[in-house]
Amino acid sequence: MRRLCLLLMMTCGLAGCKPSGPQPKPLNQLTAHEKSGYNVFQQHCVICHADRNDSNIVGPPLMGVYKKQYLPSGAAATDERVTATILHGRGMMPAQANVLGDEDLSDLLAYLHTL
Ligand code: HEC
């Protein structure tokens, strides 16, 4: 039994054995800036987007959004694109320009980078 465990651990070590790719930074390791962004996300985005798993709610999941090269639409995954999406909306996503201040937006982007 111990042998089997050891073998599993070794194989996992090599293969990276995470459920599916890189995981978001743990919540308890967020900086103050990122933590504020987490709060903004809970207020303004979480009803439509999953941040820490890959389920589709109203919009596409945002887990790993900056770890991929492209956004779900095919646009480059850059701060500029994401900011434009947030400020102007997209398709069924309402614009958030009137509800988010500059600081909220910068906190939010910092949080999205941890996903
Ligand atoms: C009312 C639901 C709703 C809310 C609230 C919402 N979104 Fe979305 N979001 C969507 C939908 C639907 C899409 C898919 C739009 C499309 O491509 O047609 C989307 C797409 C996106 C995309 C991908 C854009 C692309 O180019 O593929 C990003 C990034 C995003 N949302 C971020 C956010 C963030 C950050 C917030 C919080 C400030 C937020 N959204 C709030 C519904 C929402």
Side-chain angles (χ1 to χ4, degrees):
M1 189 60 200
R2 275 183 73 174
R3 273 230 165 121
L4 185 66
C5 284
L6 206 68
L7 192 71
L8 273 175
M9 275 165 61
M10 280 167 60
T11 342
C12 279
L14 289 175
C17 265
K18 288 261 173 78
S20 58
Q23 296 298 296
K25 181 168 167 184
L27 288 179
N28 61 8
Q29 288 174 23
L30 298 185
T31 64
H33 188 40
E34 294 160 355
K35 189 79 214 281
S36 309
Y38 169 79
N39 293 331
V40 174
F41 192 93
Q42 300 311 305
Q43 276 173 36
H44 300 286
C45 319
V46 84
I47 46 161
C48 295
H49 293 284
D51 53 346
R52 314 191 75 82
N53 62 60
D54 53 11
S55 50
N56 275 289
I57 308 174
V58 179
L62 297 181
M63 188 171 86
V65 63
Y66 283 112
K67 288 178 182 144
K68 297 173 199 128
Q69 198 177 351
Y70 301 106
L71 296 174
S73 65
T78 61
D79 280 350
E80 271 167 4
R81 270 314 311 171
V82 171
T83 303
T85 306
I86 296 169
L87 295 183
H88 307 302
R90 194 193 147 77
M92 296 295 289
M93 173 170 161
Q96 311 280 323
N98 300 325
V99 286
L100 289 183
D102 286 351
E103 209 175 309
D104 287 345
L105 190 60
S106 126
D107 290 346
L108 179 58
L109 291 180
Y111 175 62
L112 293 176
H113 275 280
T114 71
L115 299 179

